[in-house]
Amino acid sequence: MFYSCSNLNVENLKLVNSQQINMSVEHCTHVKVARLSITALGTGPNTDGIHITRSKNVQVTDCAIRTGDDCMSIEDGTTCGPGHRISIGSLGDHGSEAHVTNVTVDTEMLHGTTNGFASRHGKVGGAMRRTLCSKT
């Protein structure tokens, strides 16, 4: 887990079979993640490849992510598959406010995913999504 980091570069790592979320970026600014290989069992619970929350200016490039859950999950504040999806959510869970803005998925490659690209929000609370796009 990377917590409250600034100007962070994470490159050329191989993560295999983490018990839960493989890599987490929380409360960070100006982060570059590149050339990661992340593999997790398809049967494991909550094995998100890269989880990003409450962070700004995060760039993820040239990563191969094969998990049993979301390849990437982006919450408040890449090559994928097999896995569930690239997920933005769950926003507004448990009555909370959540804001995710200016997300671009550019030339993504989704192979064997169950849902592709998803933007979700909770049943209660406020959620804002702005400028979300996918370019291929």
Side-chain angles (χ1 to χ4, degrees), residues 26-95:
E26 299 184 22
H27 295 279
C28 295
T29 58
H30 304 288
V31 178
K32 290 185 180 182
V33 177
R35 296 175 300 283
L36 267 60
S37 172
I38 300 174
T39 307
L41 298 173
T43 57
N46 200 26
T47 56
D48 293 359
I50 301 172
H51 177 76
I52 302 168
T53 186
R54 296 178 188 95
S55 296
K56 294 181 181 181
N57 300 314
V58 179
Q59 181 180 33
V60 179
T61 58
D62 300 320
C63 294
I65 305 170
R66 296 166 189 86
T67 68
D69 206 349
D70 298 335
C71 293
M72 291 180 61
S73 58
I74 304 169
E75 291 188 358
D76 187 20
T78 312
T79 300
C80 172
H84 287 230
R85 69 193 135 248
I86 295 175
S87 172
I88 299 175
S90 297
L91 302 176
D93 266 354
H94 311 294

